[in-house]
Amino acid sequence: MQSANTLLRKIVRSSVPPFAAQHGMKKDLFPLRTLSLSLCLKQDKSCEPSEKLDLDEWKKVMKSGLQEEVSETVSEPKELSSLAAARETLEMWRLAGRAVPEKMSEDQIKTFMECPSKSAKKKYLKFLHLKELYKKNDKRKAEEKRERKLEAQDQASKTDEPKRSPFVCLWSSTMDKAYNWRAAQSMIFGQPLVFDMSYEKEMSVREVTNTVRQLVLSESCNRRSVDPFHIHFCNFKHDSLYEREFIKHYREAWDKLLITVTDQCYTEIFPKDKLIYLTADSPKVMKTFDHDKIYIVGSMVDKSIKTGVSLARAKRLGLETAALPLEKYLLWNTGAKNLTLDQMMHILLTLKDTADWKKALEFVPKRKYCGFVNKPVKELKKTLDLINMLKLGKGREKVEKQFAKNYPKKYKLK
Amino acid sequence: VQPPEKPLQAEEWNKLREDFQLPGIFEEVMLNSMIRCNSPIDVAKSLLTHLAKRNGDIAYNVLVKYLTLCVHQGQVSEIRDMYDIMKGRFKILESGAYNLLIKGLSNSDQWRMALTLLEEVKKIMIPSRTCYESCIKAASCHQEMKLAFELYNEMLDKGVVPTLDVLQSFFYFSRGMKGAELQKELFGILLYLRENQIYPHKTFMRSIKLWFESIPGGNWKGRLTKIKDSGQCPVCNHQLEDSNLTEEEYSNLSERIIRDVIHGTDTFRKTSPKEFEAFQAFVESRLPFDIVIDGLNVSHIKSRKMQCENLFDAINCLAKENARLLVLGRKHMLTNSSNWKREIMKEMQNKADFFFAENISEDDAFLLYATLRSGKHCKFVTRDFLRDHKACLSDSLTRHLFRKWQRGHQIYKNKKMFSSVLSQQPAFRYDCVVQTTGDTWHIPYKDVFEEKYSYQVPRNWLCIQQK
């Protein structure tokens, strides 16, 4: 024991750059429990470094810390609660360099433990980890911005000139009032647009959250448009997950939104022959936007593959269906043809105002298509083929297959 | 980065570190490349020493990397030291470190320590399958078969799926050992292969063969063979198990297909209740059929020919032996078009029964229903693998049943003749699983480790016979 200590002291003495050890430099690179070596270093600094290289001395360093900590660990209860054990495991994973968030709330740990499989756990942790990173980044940026603002203010106060402008400064509250006025008008005279809120059972919690976020975005862009729709949330159940998520987003404003929320079905409110259910699975393709019809959009985010769910809804009620003419106007590249709710909203609003498909379909994400169709599809196919062959070195067959998938004959062979 | 060949002094490490673009992760990158190049551990040690001196501590992930290096090189005493250090430093370890420790120790004469480590792991989590694999291999390597089987059963109880390697090691190490208990356990593994429709690869098969032949006083003799289409083994003339499902399995499967595939969460997704009822009434009034044809699928066999001609050829070819045919199609086939001529459709309707579904309905679901409802002799014609329908079935047992039934009942036109889609030969009459009669065993095996598609079944068999 005694000899080990003296040995250790010798080692430490011999090689640590005294400056670094004393001032704890570089420690922040390794946010770990560090040993307090500096203490013994202070005692005798005068020693000369020896040339001999002892390969196992790191072990002694590692083990030497133990004696201090042993007393600490002994007092702790041996059996950990499952929650604490999970916390410990997570901490170890983080140390091992896996994607694990630094801080986790009790609820998050519980959700983590309830994950049915290892891969589900990994995915959940990665999700939290990324979320944490984004949050940190945002915070940093906000701080930088504030500093810059302060600096700017400082400079402004130095010059200190009264500002004069011929225009009245429009504050956001004034804008809000204008928007609300328009939305109120749309509630009386506007064309209805229905969001079918009956998909809660088909979705996971994450999907519902995403759906609500997309709906919030759609509502805001509708409110800001020149001629808004009268939005209806139909089949909306009180105290559903949808509602709880909406309240999270809107807080008190939820009750003041200028939209119609009802638990009734759209078939009870509107005449059946005026309804058109928009779904990517529909065999019919929309040609023009009809100002007398009432379009229905299913409020559903479908991360797993559930084809035909909304088509089934429309079939059951005997409604007309339609799909956007994506293949007709766009040279489709990759990705599913179902769009997000806010993209749908943008497209429908543009159609309503301009009836220009090209303008409306600008809102389809750029990664999903190569360009607009301006020549017959056959010619385009040749060009696309060539491009792909040259660019990606893809085999001809593969390209053809992809193309056949995107541009099926009228009734595709199953 | 290229790891150095000899242990370095602190100053030398410092210099290397400063030259590196991202000094923050220098140690990790360096250790990774050491693992890749399998550098001598002395070099790694000198790096750790340098680290310990500079920071006073070594990060966990660096320790794990060093441990990986030790395990690769089988440095047992070093692994033990690492365990002491890590155990002292951290309350618990994570699975990666435990895997490494167990793997490293189980390959040495201190393999029993790996077992105690496994116990430790069990307290905090379900051990990974590599942990079990190492321990089981170590135990069976040291002829402790009882212990190995205990671990194996524990693993199955916890829902950890064993690798083929583990299963093989049981046969490999049990060679020449006596004992009724052991024999029973090994037969148990063969039955596990049967139940899960796992096919051993060639080396695994050889271990099985050698084990059988080495049983003292067993008089087993193994031969490699190919089974005839009739399902007879050419070596022992034994008839293999029938591919037909039992009554119970059959009714179970039909029930599940109606429930999961046709209705699913919403009948409207694939058809509509009205249409399905009409179809049911149609089928019931004309039962039983001998062959059910997916009209649209068959009509696309030759792309140069008109679609209705393709279908016409297929029907003519199948209608010869007075078989009762049912063709499933969609309503658009009835409208006169360039691909669907009305006269030919008329003629076909004289030779076979037709059912036309709505254009947006799924005809495959009807195909399955009509075939199953007609009975065990009924076959169906389509090139489709029906994977999406198999995926609708909720549990793996029913999926296996579906595959087995599909192997025996699906045929398709391959240039001249009709044959099974799945095996590229006439629909199987015998079942392709590990099977036994007590004094014989028949075990299908794969030629190479992983060469076949999941829908194909191996053609090679191991026939084991007791003389």
Side-chain angles (χ1 to χ4, degrees):
Chain A
M1 185 66 217
Q2 181 69 35
S3 59
N5 269 340
T6 46
L7 193 62
L8 172 72
R9 202 167 296 156
K10 223 188 225 161
I11 297 150
V12 168
R13 232 189 273 144
S14 59
S15 43
V16 178
F19 178 78
Q22 271 182 11
H23 297 269
M25 262 178 72
K26 287 171 187 163
K27 261 185 192 169
D28 47 348
L29 285 176
F30 300 88
L32 286 177
R33 298 183 241 180
T34 43
L35 300 172
S36 48
L37 282 177
S38 44
L39 195 79
C40 22
L41 278 170
K42 271 179 199 162
Q43 292 170 350
D44 34 16
K45 253 188 276 176
S46 53
C47 261
E48 295 294 299
S50 68
E51 277 303 303
K52 176 96 176 56
L53 192 63
D54 180 1
L55 290 173
D56 280 335
E57 62 185 70
W58 60 276
K59 285 187 190 166
K60 288 158 209 151
V61 175
M62 293 303 285
K63 280 176 184 166
S64 70
L66 302 185
Q67 280 119 34
E68 296 165 29
E69 283 181 20
V70 162
S71 53
E72 175 190 320
T73 44
V74 162
S75 58
E76 278 176 53
K78 274 231 159 176
E79 291 295 308
L80 291 161
S81 73
S82 62
L83 211 67
R87 239 177 227 288
E88 285 283 326
T89 327
L90 285 173
E91 176 62 18
M92 292 318 290
W93 281 356
R94 207 173 63 75
L95 289 182
R98 294 213 216 171
V100 176
E102 274 172 40
K103 280 175 207 149
M104 272 176 91
S105 69
E106 203 107 300
D107 280 344
Q108 283 170 338
I109 293 224
K110 268 181 197 150
T111 328
F112 162 75
M113 291 200 310
E114 277 159 17
C115 286
S117 65
K118 266 188 188 169
S119 62
K121 281 182 184 175
K122 252 188 215 165
K123 256 186 209 164
Y124 182 64
L125 287 177
K126 198 178 170 194
F127 163 70
L128 291 178
H129 176 70
L130 286 178
K131 209 166 130 187
E132 201 183 59
L133 272 184
Y134 291 140
K135 237 183 191 170
K136 258 190 199 160
N137 264 344
D138 287 348
K139 213 174 168 185
R140 206 197 59 225
K141 275 179 197 161
E143 245 157 52
E144 280 172 11
K145 204 177 167 187
R146 203 171 51 213
E147 271 169 33
R148 251 177 294 154
K149 213 176 169 183
L150 280 176
E151 268 174 39
Q153 263 178 7
D154 274 355
Q155 281 186 346
S157 60
K158 275 174 202 161
T159 50
D160 207 19
E161 253 176 54
K163 279 181 207 158
R164 282 193 193 171
S165 157
F167 300 107
V168 184
C169 183
L170 272 186
W171 295 105
S172 59
S173 61
T174 329
M175 289 304 286
D176 277 346
K177 260 181 209 155
Y179 290 143
N180 281 340
W181 175 247
R182 256 190 231 153
Q185 265 191 324
S186 82
M187 280 191 80
I188 309 171
F189 306 112
Q191 180 179 7
L193 177 72
V194 177
F195 284 98
D196 182 2
M197 314 290 279
S198 60
Y199 294 100
E200 197 174 302
K201 274 191 201 137
E202 331 271 349
M203 289 191 280
S204 65
V205 180
R206 278 275 290 284
E207 285 169 338
V208 174
T209 328
N210 291 350
T211 308
V212 169
R213 183 169 300 163
Q214 291 179 10
L215 284 171
V216 170
L217 285 174
S218 327
E219 191 273 329
S220 84
C221 89
N222 180 57
R223 194 178 348 137
R224 273 153 227 271
S225 72
V226 187
D227 182 17
F229 282 107
H230 175 193
I231 295 180
H232 284 72
F233 286 170
C234 289
N235 292 323
F236 195 93
K237 299 276 172 307
H238 183 61
D239 206 31
S240 57
L241 195 52
Y242 276 126
E243 191 180 47
R244 266 172 278 151
E245 285 294 327
F246 269 121
I247 290 172
K248 242 189 232 170
H249 269 280
Y250 281 114
R251 314 239 168 121
E252 306 85 63
W254 171 238
D255 292 323
K256 293 174 203 155
L257 278 184
L258 292 168
I259 56 174
T260 305
V261 180
T262 166
D263 60 348
Q264 282 180 303
C265 185
Y266 28 87
T267 47
E268 293 166 53
I269 309 175
F270 305 107
K272 251 190 186 180
D273 55 325
K274 286 213 162 182
L275 292 170
I276 295 183
Y277 211 117
L278 294 176
T279 161
D281 297 321
S282 170
K284 277 180 209 139
V285 173
M286 199 169 156
K287 288 212 175 71
T288 50
F289 182 85
D290 193 336
H291 294 267
D292 291 328
K293 296 277 186 194
I294 295 146
Y295 291 98
I296 308 167
V297 180
S299 308
M300 180 182 177
V301 169
D302 178 17
K303 289 202 174 170
S304 57
I305 317 135
K306 289 180 199 121
T307 42
V309 174
S310 55
L311 187 66
R313 280 292 127 110
K315 248 162 120 188
R316 181 191 295 276
L317 297 166
L319 298 177
E320 209 180 307
T321 59
L324 293 180
L326 297 175
E327 290 108 70
K328 195 178 155 196
Y329 290 98
L330 302 175
L331 193 60
W332 203 261
N333 188 21
T334 50
K337 299 222 171 77
N338 46 0
L339 304 174
T340 62
L341 300 171
D342 48 315
Q343 284 158 12
M344 275 311 272
M345 193 68 176
H346 276 295
I347 290 173
L348 290 174
L349 278 170
T350 321
L351 279 180
K352 191 174 165 211
D353 292 343
T354 62
D356 182 350
W357 277 107
K358 203 176 163 194
K359 226 175 182 178
L361 294 181
E362 293 265 323
F363 291 102
V364 177
K366 292 277 181 295
R367 66 174 189 284
K368 288 194 176 184
Y369 63 93
C370 307
F372 283 90
V373 176
N374 44 9
K375 284 185 261 178
V377 166
K378 248 191 189 164
E379 269 175 55
L380 280 174
K381 183 192 163 188
K382 271 185 206 155
T383 343
L384 186 72
D385 241 9
L386 201 69
I387 291 172
N388 273 338
M389 276 223 283
L390 291 174
K391 221 191 204 169
L392 312 166
K394 264 192 198 170
R396 203 186 154 78
E397 268 173 51
K398 213 174 162 191
V399 176
E400 257 168 26
K401 231 186 227 170
Q402 177 89 17
F403 193 83
K405 212 174 84 196
N406 289 332
Y407 296 91
K409 286 175 190 162
K410 201 170 181 194
Y411 296 107
K412 202 171 57 178
L413 155 95
K414 259 270 113 175
Chain B
V1 256
Q2 191 65 34
E5 275 158 25
K6 278 180 197 152
L8 299 184
Q9 294 286 345
E11 301 85 58
E12 292 168 296
W13 279 120
N14 260 334
K15 193 172 173 307
L16 271 180
R17 188 169 189 268
E18 275 155 24
D19 292 343
F20 190 67
Q21 302 129 326
L22 299 159
I25 55 163
F26 171 73
E27 290 79 20
E28 268 178 69
V29 176
M30 185 50 96
L31 274 165
N32 274 342
S33 77
M34 282 184 196
I35 292 168
R36 209 173 40 243
C37 307
N38 205 12
S39 309
I41 58 165
D42 279 353
V43 182
K45 276 182 177 177
S46 80
L47 176 61
L48 291 190
T49 307
H50 160 67
L51 256 180
K53 279 190 281 189
R54 204 186 62 214
N55 302 311
D57 195 10
I58 299 171
Y60 180 75
N61 56 349
V62 174
L63 286 179
V64 172
K65 293 226 160 82
Y66 174 66
L67 183 60
T68 316
L69 193 66
C70 297
V71 171
H72 279 191
Q73 301 181 0
Q75 307 273 359
V76 183
S77 66
E78 207 57 28
I79 296 168
R80 290 207 58 163
D81 270 4
M82 282 306 286
Y83 175 68
D84 290 339
I85 289 170
M86 290 174 108
K87 210 49 207 163
R89 221 62 198 78
F90 305 99
K91 232 185 269 169
I92 57 170
L93 305 182
E94 48 78 63
S95 46
Y98 275 127
N99 281 350
L100 283 169
L101 287 169
I102 289 179
K103 195 176 164 202
L105 290 171
S106 64
N107 282 332
S108 69
D109 46 355
Q110 308 204 12
W111 61 280
R112 279 191 190 277
M113 194 171 151
L115 295 178
T116 47
L117 259 175
L118 183 72
E119 290 303 314
E120 208 179 299
V121 179
K122 274 187 225 160
K123 277 183 207 155
I124 42 174
M125 57 187 134
I126 295 176
S128 68
R129 77 181 193 173
T130 40
C131 282
Y132 274 116
E133 190 179 327
S134 313
C135 289
I136 290 175
K137 272 191 182 162
S140 44
C141 179
H142 293 86
Q143 306 287 307
E144 297 247 8
M145 295 317 284
K146 210 178 157 206
L147 179 67
F149 274 109
E150 259 168 42
L151 286 171
Y152 169 69
N153 289 324
E154 186 185 302
M155 179 174 183
L156 291 184
D157 283 345
K158 289 192 172 158
V160 184
V161 181
T163 55
L164 285 188
D165 247 23
V166 170
L167 300 180
Q168 189 193 345
S169 75
F170 279 119
F171 287 96
Y172 184 82
F173 290 113
S174 309
R175 219 176 284 171
M177 284 167 85
K178 223 177 167 173
E181 190 63 26
L182 176 74
Q183 209 161 319
K184 212 178 117 201
E185 291 277 15
L186 286 167
F187 284 160
I189 294 184
L190 290 175
L191 292 179
Y192 175 82
L193 294 181
R194 175 191 167 88
E195 267 152 39
N196 294 287
Q197 311 210 357
I198 300 169
Y199 307 114
H201 49 81
K202 215 170 188 171
T203 29
F204 187 1
M205 177 276 297
R206 231 170 252 141
S207 299
I208 297 175
K209 181 169 178 274
L210 288 175
W211 172 73
F212 265 107
E213 286 169 348
S214 76
I215 298 175
N219 274 332
W220 290 94
K221 178 82 194 125
R223 292 260 209 78
L224 307 186
T225 180
K226 283 192 173 159
I227 302 291
K228 294 177 192 164
D229 286 346
S230 61
Q232 204 182 35
C233 170
V235 180
C236 60
N237 292 326
H238 174 72
Q239 183 71 30
L240 290 195
E241 273 175 52
D242 209 299
S243 74
N244 279 332
L245 309 185
T246 64
E247 285 301 328
E248 200 193 334
E249 285 171 334
Y250 195 83
S251 65
N252 202 352
L253 181 66
S254 347
E255 218 170 89
R256 294 296 294 276
I257 284 198
I258 293 175
R259 202 185 76 196
D260 293 346
V261 179
I262 299 177
H263 293 304
T265 50
D266 187 351
T267 317
F268 282 96
R269 276 175 74 172
K270 290 197 172 147
T271 165
S272 67
K274 210 171 141 197
E275 189 183 30
F276 186 58
E277 264 167 40
F279 177 69
Q280 268 180 318
F282 172 83
V283 171
E284 296 302 325
S285 65
R286 289 159 208 238
L287 279 177
F289 298 105
D290 296 317
I291 297 170
V292 183
I293 303 168
D294 183 346
L296 278 174
N297 189 299
V298 169
S299 72
H300 283 82
I301 286 182
K302 281 181 192 155
S303 52
R304 298 243 172 96
K305 266 192 175 174
M306 214 193 299
Q307 286 172 12
C308 63
E309 277 182 355
N310 272 330
L311 184 58
F312 192 60
D313 287 350
I315 289 175
N316 278 338
C317 187
L318 289 164
K320 270 173 199 159
E321 292 141 32
N322 228 357
R324 285 182 56 81
L325 305 182
L326 169 64
V327 181
L328 294 167
R330 293 210 180 105
K331 288 208 166 134
H332 71 84
M333 291 158 72
L334 285 172
T335 52
N336 203 7
S337 67
S338 60
N339 262 323
W340 298 99
K341 293 274 173 261
R342 192 161 284 158
E343 310 86 66
I344 303 180
M345 287 301 287
K346 279 254 169 66
E347 210 178 326
M348 282 195 279
Q349 271 163 298
N350 291 331
K351 294 194 176 178
D353 282 317
F354 272 75
F355 183 85
F356 297 101
E358 291 295 329
N359 290 339
I360 48 170
S361 293
E362 288 249 8
D363 46 2
D364 291 348
F366 293 147
L367 178 84
L368 295 177
Y369 177 79
T371 316
L372 280 166
R373 195 66 196 83
S374 295
K376 283 180 182 172
H377 71 287
C378 184
K379 301 221 161 36
F380 63 98
V381 185
T382 174
R383 274 185 306 180
D384 199 307
F385 286 120
L386 306 173
R387 293 191 186 102
D388 44 347
H389 304 290
K390 191 187 74 158
C392 291
L393 298 167
S394 45
D395 64 305
S396 64
L397 193 72
T398 327
R399 282 188 210 159
H400 280 317
L401 279 185
F402 182 76
R403 267 277 183 260
K404 188 175 165 185
W405 174 75
Q406 197 186 358
R407 271 205 290 274
H409 293 85
Q410 183 172 7
I411 49 180
Y412 99 103
K413 198 178 176 208
N414 179 14
K415 282 184 189 142
K416 281 173 196 156
M417 51 178 271
F418 280 87
S419 61
S420 165
V421 178
L422 301 180
S423 50
Q424 305 300 327
Q425 63 171 37
F428 267 134
R429 264 184 245 166
Y430 57 94
D431 192 13
C432 205
V433 285
V434 176
Q435 42 194 284
T436 179
T437 55
D439 57 353
T440 62
W441 280 88
H442 287 91
I443 299 165
Y445 68 92
K446 295 186 284 186
D447 243 348
V448 197
F449 185 59
E450 40 188 351
E451 112 274 18
K452 71 175 195 62
Y453 294 107
S454 65
Y455 59 83
Q456 285 178 339
V457 283
R459 310 294 310 273
N460 297 318
W461 288 73
L462 167 66
C463 163
I464 301 168
Q465 224 185 334
Q466 196 166 30
K467 291 261 162 72

